[in-house]
Amino acid sequence: MYRWLQRLFSGAAQAGPPGAPSPAPLPDTAPAPLAAPLTRPVVPFDQLVQAGSLYYRWLFDTDSESDLDISAQESQALAALAAVLDSQQSGAALVRRLPGMIPQLLQSLRSDTFSGAQLSRTISNDVVLVAAVIRLANSSLAGSGTSISSVEHAVMLIGQEGLRHLITSVAFRPIIDMNSGHFTRTLAPRIWDHSERCAVANRALAESMGIDPFEAFLAGLVQNVGLIVSLRILDQATKGDKGLGSEMFCAQLVNHARQLTCSIGREWHFPDNVTRAITEQAGMKKDAIVSPLGRLLTLTDYLGKVRMLVENGRALPNDPALFGGLAPFADDAYRSLRPIDDAAAP
């Protein structure tokens, strides 16, 4: 899977034919280049712990600090997840396959001749892609008083680069199976929202930090694949009972889920930098030394959680306990993590 995604982004600077509209812009938050390598932690460890606790309390809808003890039901759910990790079962097999038209779109986007009509016909075969393309096109026209309802018009407005970004996101979106149980229906859309925001922010910040933009985008997008797959396992293990969410349970769930993400990433042949960055999040400790991509992912993952907490009234904006002690480029990252519709991204 990684190989065709890499081809999707190769030649990203290619323009459309003469006279074709410019691609819809990515977030307007490109930071100034960093003058020197960072030497201090990108996020203080205690703040990582606090934000994680608040975030998972919000996800599982627990209003106050839970007991540290794991309930019998939580132990059963974690045992089911551990059994998957310990088995020979393919982690990637738990993820729904990509939409069948994605390879066709890939070929069209790699063509030297950008055919809006051809792409429109292919996209029109999938209602999810139709909705995503029109939404992205209209988000770029926000405030103009005009709107787009034609797929072909939307394709030409977005351009090749915008379509590369959109199709990669849509390619992973089917991992959320809304026909599953309570945890998948309730938590997975929030987790996917966080992943998309991180992907957009990573790509906006990557170049100034000397990081490959595609790897940065991919790391943000797939970092929670294992967690979303884990929700399906929780649904099967609990059979509709919603009594999960203690702090110790969430800590072990996140650790298992990241292991599963890395397993899936290796099966999909993601670059070592991506799987390493995700692995580093699982082993995060005080003063831990991490890769450049791991540092970026730590920051956007953290600030993405904080921003969603603020937006949902579960944290205060500018709370020094959450916003203090961050890296110099944290303001740029936070702005890049605004809701996807506002960021003109898929």
Side-chain angles (χ1 to χ4, degrees):
M1 181 185 295
Y2 164 67
R3 293 190 180 95
W4 69 255
L5 283 174
Q6 187 179 46
R7 290 197 299 269
L8 184 67
F9 272 78
S10 64
Q14 292 178 355
S22 300
L26 290 175
D28 55 351
T29 55
L34 298 176
L38 296 174
T39 56
R40 64 186 176 90
V42 69
V43 180
F45 181 78
D46 291 345
Q47 289 178 220
L48 287 174
V49 174
Q50 180 181 5
S53 176
L54 292 172
Y55 178 75
Y56 289 104
R57 207 179 300 164
W58 169 62
L59 277 184
F60 284 92
D61 195 24
T62 56
D63 294 328
S64 59
E65 293 188 22
S66 309
D67 292 336
L68 292 178
D69 293 335
I70 294 178
S71 69
Q73 185 183 35
E74 289 175 332
S75 295
Q76 181 181 357
L78 289 172
L81 182 54
V84 172
L85 288 170
D86 294 338
S87 72
Q88 298 300 314
Q89 183 177 7
S90 166
L94 299 172
V95 183
R96 290 173 57 187
R97 293 183 179 272
L98 297 171
M101 85 294 301
I102 293 294
Q104 296 175 259
L105 289 169
L106 171 62
Q107 289 300 118
S108 299
L109 287 167
R110 294 180 65 202
S111 173
D112 292 334
T113 304
F114 181 76
S115 171
Q118 178 184 349
L119 283 171
S120 300
R121 285 193 295 271
T122 305
I123 290 171
S124 295
N125 291 325
D126 185 88
V127 293
V128 174
L129 273 176
V130 168
V133 166
I134 291 178
R135 183 180 67 164
L136 178 58
N138 281 323
S139 68
S140 68
L141 294 175
S144 67
T146 61
S147 62
I148 288 176
S149 58
S150 161
V151 173
E152 185 169 358
H153 188 185
V155 165
M156 295 306 295
L157 177 66
I158 293 169
Q160 287 173 284
E161 178 65 12
L163 284 171
R164 287 186 180 100
H165 183 98
L166 180 145
I167 290 169
T168 305
S169 294
V170 172
F172 285 96
R173 195 167 296 154
I175 60 176
I176 299 177
D177 183 354
M178 300 309 293
N179 293 319
S180 282
H182 165 76
F183 293 110
T184 297
R185 289 196 311 270
T186 306
L187 277 62
R190 297 177 179 181
I191 295 169
W192 179 250
D193 181 20
H194 172 266
S195 297
E196 283 193 303
R197 294 192 197 200
C198 289
V200 171
N202 281 359
R203 193 168 181 210
L205 294 160
E207 189 172 354
S208 68
M209 298 178 64
I211 299 171
D212 180 89
F214 172 66
E215 291 186 354
F217 179 82
L218 194 59
L221 197 66
V222 304
Q223 64 176 318
N224 292 317
V225 167
L227 182 55
I228 293 175
V229 169
S230 298
L231 297 179
R232 293 174 51 199
I233 299 172
L234 298 186
D235 283 326
Q236 294 166 6
T238 59
K239 303 186 186 310
D241 197 323
K242 304 174 184 179
L244 305 180
S246 72
E247 291 199 29
M248 189 63 69
F249 166 79
C250 290
Q252 293 190 31
L253 170 65
V254 171
N255 184 58
H256 286 339
R258 282 178 174 148
Q259 292 180 51
L260 186 56
T261 297
C262 292
S263 173
I264 293 170
R266 285 188 291 269
E267 290 188 61
W268 284 346
H269 304 290
F270 285 158
D272 290 340
N273 287 340
V274 172
T275 53
R276 182 184 303 115
I278 296 172
T279 301
E280 288 168 345
Q281 311 310 305
M284 192 63 66
K285 298 177 181 178
K286 283 189 176 181
D287 300 321
I289 298 174
V290 298
S291 63
L293 179 53
R295 292 171 68 83
L296 176 59
L297 188 59
T298 298
L299 181 68
T300 56
D301 175 58
Y302 170 81
L303 286 176
K305 290 172 180 173
V306 170
R307 177 144 193 166
M308 294 180 76
L309 288 169
V310 170
E311 291 169 357
N312 288 277
R314 301 298 288 259
L316 296 174
N318 302 318
D319 182 348
L322 295 173
F323 291 93
L326 300 178
F329 56 97
D331 286 346
D332 293 312
Y334 191 77
R335 285 191 293 270
S336 295
L337 287 157
R338 62 190 182 274
I340 292 297
D341 283 342
D342 294 345

